[in-house]
Amino acid sequence: MGKQVARQLGLPIPTGSAYAGKTIILATKHGKERAISNAFRRHLGAEIEVADIDTDKLGTFSGEIEREGNPIEVALRKAKLGIRSTGLGRGLANEGSFGPHPAVPFSNVDLEVLAFVDEELEIEVIERIQSLKTNLAYCTPRAGEDIKAFLESMHFGSHALVVRPNDGDKYSTLFKGIQKVSDLENAIRKCAQLSPDGKAHVETDMRAHLNPTRMKVIRKLGYQMAKRLSTRCSECFAPGWGIVDVERGLPCAWCGAPTPLVWKEIYRCAACEHEEREKRADGKESAEAKNCPECNP
Ligand SMILES: [Zn+2]
Ligand SMILES: [Zn+2]
C-alpha cells in the first residue's frame, strides 16, 4: 500500500521502529551479540536472541572448511538458518572476509557484511563496512624461532592465533584460539615437526570472540544496520530504506567530463520499487582535474 492510498483511505501512516518489542535471531557461535545487541535495543527497541547453530559448517577462516558463495550469500544463508532453527521470522547474520587492500599498498582490509532477513515483510537488507583496522597477519617459524615482533604487532594475548603445519597435510593438525605463550610454543613445535619443510604456519585467529579489533568493526556495522532498519520507505513505509549503490561520473571542475568518482548515491526500498538518487553526502559537486581522465590522462 502506497502513501497516496493510505491518505485516501484515511489510514494512519506508520512511523517509528517497525521492530519495537520484537525479537531478532542472530546466528553466531562467536559472541557477536556483544557487538550488536546495544544498537538494536537503542535504535529499534528490538531484542537480539542468539540461535544455537554451528555457523562454522558454512566455512571457516582457518581454511579447513571452505566457504561456498560470496560473503553476502553466506551471510543470508546463516540468517535463514537462524530463522529455521527458531521459527521466529526475523534473522541476522554477519560474515567477514580479509585480505590485501586492492588499492592501498601493504595494507590489509577487513570487509564485513551484515544480512537481515524479515520473512513476514519479505525483505532482505544488506549492510557492509570496510576497515583498514585489522591484525590479519601470518608467519612461518621453525620450532624455537623468535617471533616476538610478530606477536607484538598482532596483539597476541588479547587476540588469538591459529597454528598448523606449513606444508604437507596442512589441516591434519590445527590449533585454534591460542592465547598463551606456552600453548603457542607447543603448537609450533608439533606442527613444524609434521611439516616437510620443518616450519609451522602461524596466523591470526579472525573469529570475532578472539579478535577484539574485528569485534569493534562489527559493532560499527551493527549500528549502521540498526539505523538502516529504523528508516522507512516514504512510499510503502517498509523498514530498511538506505543506500544500495552509487553512480560514478562526478563531473570534472575544469572540463565537465565524467570522472570515476562517485556522483550520486542510490537509495532504494527493501520492499517496493521506490528509488531515489541523491547528491553525495559530503556535498562535493565536482571533481578536481587530477581525477579527470581528460585533463590528467
Ligand atoms: Zn577535466
Ligand atoms: Zn517501499
Side-chain angles (χ1 to χ4, degrees):
M1 179 182 55
K3 190 160 50 181
Q4 306 300 339
V5 183
R7 287 216 179 96
Q8 277 163 18
L9 295 174
L11 293 171
I13 290 173
T15 53
S17 169
Y19 297 107
K22 300 209 168 150
T23 301
I24 295 167
I25 299 300
L26 174 67
T28 180
K29 51 178 270 191
H30 299 147
K32 289 174 186 171
E33 69 279 7
R34 299 205 307 264
I36 291 173
S37 296
N38 262 339
F40 273 65
R41 200 171 298 138
R42 273 176 66 178
H43 289 285
L44 294 166
E47 285 304 314
I48 294 287
E49 199 179 296
V50 172
D52 190 18
I53 57 165
D54 191 358
T55 48
D56 279 356
K57 278 186 187 143
L58 293 171
T60 60
F61 293 118
S62 27
E64 72 276 26
I65 304 171
E66 209 150 324
R67 266 150 223 260
E68 258 179 60
N70 68 41
I72 290 177
E73 289 165 353
V74 176
L76 282 170
R77 214 177 305 148
K78 277 190 206 170
K80 286 170 189 170
L81 271 179
I83 290 175
R84 283 302 98 70
S85 75
T86 58
L88 275 168
R90 295 166 293 273
L92 191 65
N94 157 255
E95 177 72 7
S97 42
F98 310 87
H101 193 286
V104 185
F106 312 112
S107 289
N108 286 320
V109 64
D110 170 7
L111 291 164
E112 298 285 346
V113 166
L114 194 56
F116 172 77
V117 178
D118 183 331
E119 292 195 334
E120 283 165 20
L121 295 178
E122 295 181 354
I123 59 171
E124 293 182 356
V125 179
I126 304 291
E127 277 292 323
R128 272 172 283 212
I129 197 169
Q130 81 173 47
S131 175
L132 288 171
K133 283 190 188 126
T134 173
N135 72 336
L136 181 73
Y138 76 94
C139 66
T140 55
R142 293 175 185 283
E145 203 176 310
D146 179 10
I147 55 166
K148 267 199 203 92
F150 170 81
L151 297 181
E152 236 164 71
S153 70
M154 56 70 55
H155 313 294
F156 184 64
S158 64
H159 294 63
L161 284 170
V162 177
V163 182
R164 61 170 170 83
N166 188 48
D167 207 357
D169 197 352
K170 292 179 188 173
Y171 299 107
S172 58
T173 308
L174 192 64
F175 296 90
K176 288 176 151 193
I178 296 175
Q179 286 174 293
K180 280 195 223 148
V181 175
S182 56
D183 293 341
L184 178 63
E185 284 169 352
N186 178 44
I188 291 177
R189 189 165 11 86
K190 281 185 181 154
C191 292
Q193 213 164 47
L194 288 166
S195 183
D197 64 1
K199 291 176 179 178
H201 183 98
V202 180
E203 66 185 25
T204 43
D205 196 325
M206 302 315 288
R207 290 175 295 165
H209 63 307
L210 295 166
N211 197 314
T213 300
R214 180 172 176 223
M215 199 64 114
K216 249 189 190 165
V217 179
I218 298 172
R219 178 168 292 126
K220 220 171 154 188
L221 184 59
Y223 272 97
Q224 216 172 286
M225 177 61 93
K227 207 177 148 210
R228 172 101 177 254
L229 292 177
S230 68
T231 312
R232 288 176 185 266
C233 169
S234 63
E235 282 301 314
C236 77
F237 320 119
W241 174 259
I243 297 176
V244 293
D245 208 350
V246 294
E247 191 178 308
R248 296 184 186 277
L250 188 69
C252 169
W254 280 88
C255 73
T259 68
L261 300 190
V262 171
W263 190 15
K264 301 260 170 76
E265 285 165 343
I266 302 171
Y267 289 71
R268 197 175 296 142
C269 175
C272 78
E273 302 285 298
H274 185 50
E275 184 182 291
E276 277 169 32
R277 272 152 212 267
E278 305 260 344
K279 283 180 188 164
R280 290 165 58 121
D282 64 4
K284 205 171 165 151
E285 290 188 29
S286 61
E288 288 167 58
K290 67 172 184 196
N291 298 115
C292 176
E294 299 292 330
C295 300
N296 187 18

